Amino acid sequence: MAAVNVAGTAFSELPPGLVTSSLASFALRAILTPDEQSASLEELTPPGASSADMKTAVAGLTSVLLESAKQDLSAQDFRAVLQDSGIGLEDAEKVANEYETSKASLRRLLGRTQFSLPNLVGIKWRLDHVVKSKNLSHLNQPVFMLRFNIIQSNGQEEPLEVTCSEEHLRELYSTLTQATHQVNSTLKQLS
């Protein structure tokens, strides 16, 4: 089972029976259709529970739902996470069923909203020799044209073109070599 960070979701400190399938439905509607909230939180508040308790429960449940969907946990693993967080077996089972029903929608939402860096998928280069420029009549320098093919977080492939001198290319090479060595040494330490 993957570890889900439930820091700050102290369900065990809340009144028992507060985290229910109706509260999970409320949290899921708040995540998936924030403009269409039909029930208010006060309507779901059981006797003896404060408004602060309800807000804490919704915030914690929202966090656990999103993190679990992000990690693609199964309903069974999600139920275990809830039980480890202090929710009883019966309520955890009901909330896990709500999660399983909405997991695909949560993952689609996360796919649209998460931040990710572009991925480098290809590179081409060309060496041009500049004989003169508009300002200088005799330049006689090599110029490197680099074309990086990247895939943006939205899935579209885009080119990124860079022109650099030999000095800049050597600096780029040195920086990439250092980064490669750092990644390799970090991976060796982790294994």
Side-chain angles (χ1 to χ4, degrees):
M1 176 179 72
V4 174
N5 183 2
V6 291
T9 53
F11 293 126
S12 58
E13 296 175 11
L14 296 172
L18 193 62
V19 179
T20 62
S21 62
S22 58
L23 191 64
S25 295
F26 180 86
L28 286 165
R29 281 192 312 274
I31 295 167
L32 297 171
T33 56
D35 298 334
E36 300 177 19
Q37 281 294 4
S38 56
S40 70
L41 197 53
E42 290 79 30
E43 294 172 13
L44 299 174
T45 304
S50 70
S51 175
D53 287 341
M54 292 302 288
K55 289 178 183 176
T56 300
V58 169
L61 193 52
T62 300
S63 175
V64 173
L65 284 164
L66 289 171
E67 188 62 31
S68 297
K70 177 181 171 187
Q71 293 184 23
D72 199 19
L73 290 188
S74 67
Q76 186 177 13
D77 289 342
F78 180 71
R79 185 185 69 236
V81 167
L82 292 176
Q83 287 182 281
D84 290 346
S85 301
I87 297 175
L89 177 63
E90 186 179 324
D91 288 329
E93 186 67 40
K94 291 176 183 175
V95 173
N97 290 338
E98 292 284 336
Y99 164 76
E100 185 66 25
T101 303
S102 301
K103 184 170 105 173
S105 298
L106 288 170
R107 290 189 54 78
R108 279 193 301 276
L109 175 70
L110 289 168
R112 288 192 313 264
T113 59
Q114 74 182 14
F115 172 77
S116 63
L117 295 172
N119 291 321
L120 179 63
V121 294
I123 183 170
K124 293 181 181 179
W125 64 276
R126 179 179 87 213
L127 173 61
D128 290 341
H129 193 81
V130 178
V131 179
K132 66 180 187 177
S133 71
K134 153 172 106 169
N135 297 328
L136 297 170
S137 62
H138 185 69
L139 193 58
N140 205 19
Q141 286 185 346
V143 174
F144 293 90
M145 309 292 282
L146 304 174
R147 180 186 174 115
F148 298 99
N149 293 328
I150 57 174
I151 295 181
Q152 297 291 351
S153 57
N154 62 7
Q156 291 184 316
E157 188 170 330
E158 295 179 10
L160 173 66
E161 295 182 356
V162 178
T163 305
C164 61
S165 66
E166 184 178 2
E167 180 182 332
H168 288 133
L169 188 60
R170 287 183 195 278
E171 187 177 319
L172 175 64
Y173 176 77
S174 173
T175 303
L176 290 173
T177 302
Q178 289 173 1
T180 303
H181 288 303
Q182 183 64 43
V183 167
N184 288 336
S185 71
T186 301
L187 289 175
K188 283 180 186 177
Q189 290 175 355
L190 293 175
S191 50

